[in-house]
C-alpha cells in the first residue's frame, strides 16, 4: 500500500444548512467545485448545535424549530491548490466563516486502487 505524507492546508467553511446556491444547497456546490478543481477531497459535516455572526443559536434538539443547522465543509490539499481554490469560495460564501489551517497529512491510496480495480 502506498502511503504519502506531507504538509498540507486545510480549509474549513462554516455555513448554514439552508444556505442556497442556484436552487441547491451551498455545501453541495462547494463540494462539486472542489471535485471539479481536482482537490484531494472534501467532506461535509452537519452540526447539531451552534451560533455564528447572527448570534442565533441553531440546534437539532427535538423541540427546536431550527432548520438551519451549522454545516462545516472541510477540504484538504497542498497549499498551492487550496489557495487557487479560494477565489471560488469568495464567490460562493456570502455569509459564513472560512478558516485555513496548516496540517500534516498521511494519505492512503484510494479504495479502488487498493483492491486492484
Amino acid at each position: 500500500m502506498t502511503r504519502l505524507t506531507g504538509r498540507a492546508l486545510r480549509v474549513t467553511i462554516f455555513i448554514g444548512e439552508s444556505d442556497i446556491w442556484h436552487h441547491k444547497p451551498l455545501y453541495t456546490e462547494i463540494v462539486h467545485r472542489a471535485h471539479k478543481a481536482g482537490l484531494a477531497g472534501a467532506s461535509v459535516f452537519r452540526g447539531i448545535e451552534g451560533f455564528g455572526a447572527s448570534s442565533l443559536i441553531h440546534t437539532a434538539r427535538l423541540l427546536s424549530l431550527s432548520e438551519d443547522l451549522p454545516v462545516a465543509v472541510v477540504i484538504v490539499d497542498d497549499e498551492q491548490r487550496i489557495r487557487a481554490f479560494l477565489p471560488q469560495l469568495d464567490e460562493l460564501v456570502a455569509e459564513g466563516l472560512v478558516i485555513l489551517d496548516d496540517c500534516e497529512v498521511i494519505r492512503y491510496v484510494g479504495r479502488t486502487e487498493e483492491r486492484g480495480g
Side-chain angles (χ1 to χ4, degrees), residues 56-105:
L56 296 174
I57 294 180
H58 304 278
T59 179
R61 282 187 251 142
L62 186 62
L63 298 177
S64 172
L65 299 177
S66 177
E67 295 179 3
D68 189 21
L69 294 171
V71 172
V73 182
V74 179
I75 305 168
V76 178
D77 207 319
D78 68 47
E79 182 173 358
Q80 182 179 356
R81 294 171 70 100
I82 291 292
R83 291 202 182 275
F85 186 69
L86 291 179
Q88 293 198 54
L89 295 179
D90 288 339
E91 174 189 353
L92 293 170
V93 181
E95 291 184 24
L97 175 66
V98 178
I99 62 172
L100 296 172
D101 297 302
D102 290 320
C103 60
E104 186 173 348
V105 173

Side-chain angles (χ1 to χ4, degrees), residues 1-4 106-117:
M1 177 184 298
T2 303
R3 187 168 76 172
L4 304 173
I106 300 172
R107 183 174 71 186
Y108 294 91
V109 175
R111 292 184 187 141
T112 55
E113 294 174 33
E114 288 174 5
R115 292 186 217 127

